[in-house]
Amino acid sequence: MKKIFQTAIAVLALTFVISACSSTQNTQSGGTSSANVSRGKFVGTWVCNNVSYQGLLPNAVQNVFDQAPPAAFVGSTWKLTNSGNGIYTLTNGQSQTIFWSVFNGNGATQFQFKKLYEGDKAKNVAEGYRLDVGQFAGTNMTLLSPVAIGNGTGYIVYTFTKQ
């Protein structure tokens, strides 16, 4: 009985690893990321004009960034400084301080940020969020938040305009 249980655990672990690898491959080969957008192009004030879904039903995700439903980010303002400090403010007035950066790897660009609370230092915060940069054209950008669904990946798509 113990041997059967150990074998079942090993098979489940292997299945999880294989599905995790295939999700990563789908994200990278799906053509959703731009290649190497420089960090300086993100600096400024951005407004989220629209939230849409790619490969997901609109209400499939109830909460993003451990804060609010995706629709609550429509109209939000994101202020990103060159130092990596930033803040976003939802239309209801709720604000969140962040530390942001850009990750360029495997021919793709990702926008990443950590939420900071009073007294936090970014280097001590281990958890954060990483969004694929879909399109970037000077004053317009699209960020895609990957969501694992079955053996694939869907996306919450945030469209921004620079102010």
Side-chain angles (χ1 to χ4, degrees), residues 1-143:
M1 182 73 168
K2 184 177 179 183
K3 193 91 160 158
I4 293 172
F5 182 70
Q6 289 174 335
T7 304
I9 295 293
V11 169
L12 284 172
L14 182 60
T15 303
F16 177 73
V17 168
I18 289 171
S19 68
C21 290
S22 69
S23 293
T24 301
Q25 290 172 347
N26 288 343
T27 299
Q28 293 172 352
S29 64
T32 58
S33 295
S34 296
N36 297 327
V37 178
S38 69
R39 184 181 190 284
K41 294 187 180 206
F42 288 88
V43 174
T45 301
W46 296 85
V47 174
C48 180
N49 300 314
N50 187 44
V51 175
S52 60
Y53 302 89
Q54 183 179 332
L56 294 171
L57 295 174
N59 292 321
V61 178
Q62 300 296 313
N63 191 339
V64 293
F65 312 132
D66 295 318
Q67 187 156 9
F73 285 83
V74 174
S76 63
T77 301
W78 295 62
K79 295 180 181 179
L80 307 175
T81 67
N82 197 37
S83 67
N85 294 310
I87 188 169
Y88 64 78
T89 305
L90 302 180
T91 56
N92 68 4
Q94 188 176 15
S95 294
Q96 177 63 55
T97 304
I98 62 172
F99 185 81
W100 68 278
S101 61
V102 174
F103 176 78
N104 284 305
N106 298 326
T109 300
Q110 294 179 311
F111 175 83
Q112 55 191 11
F113 70 94
K114 300 176 181 183
K115 292 169 76 170
L116 300 179
Y117 298 97
E118 189 172 337
D120 283 346
K121 292 187 178 189
K123 68 179 183 177
N124 297 332
V125 177
E127 294 182 15
Y129 309 91
R130 190 178 276 185
L131 294 89
D132 297 335
V133 177
Q135 296 178 351
F136 199 101
T139 59
N140 296 300
M141 76 171 163
T142 304
L143 300 178

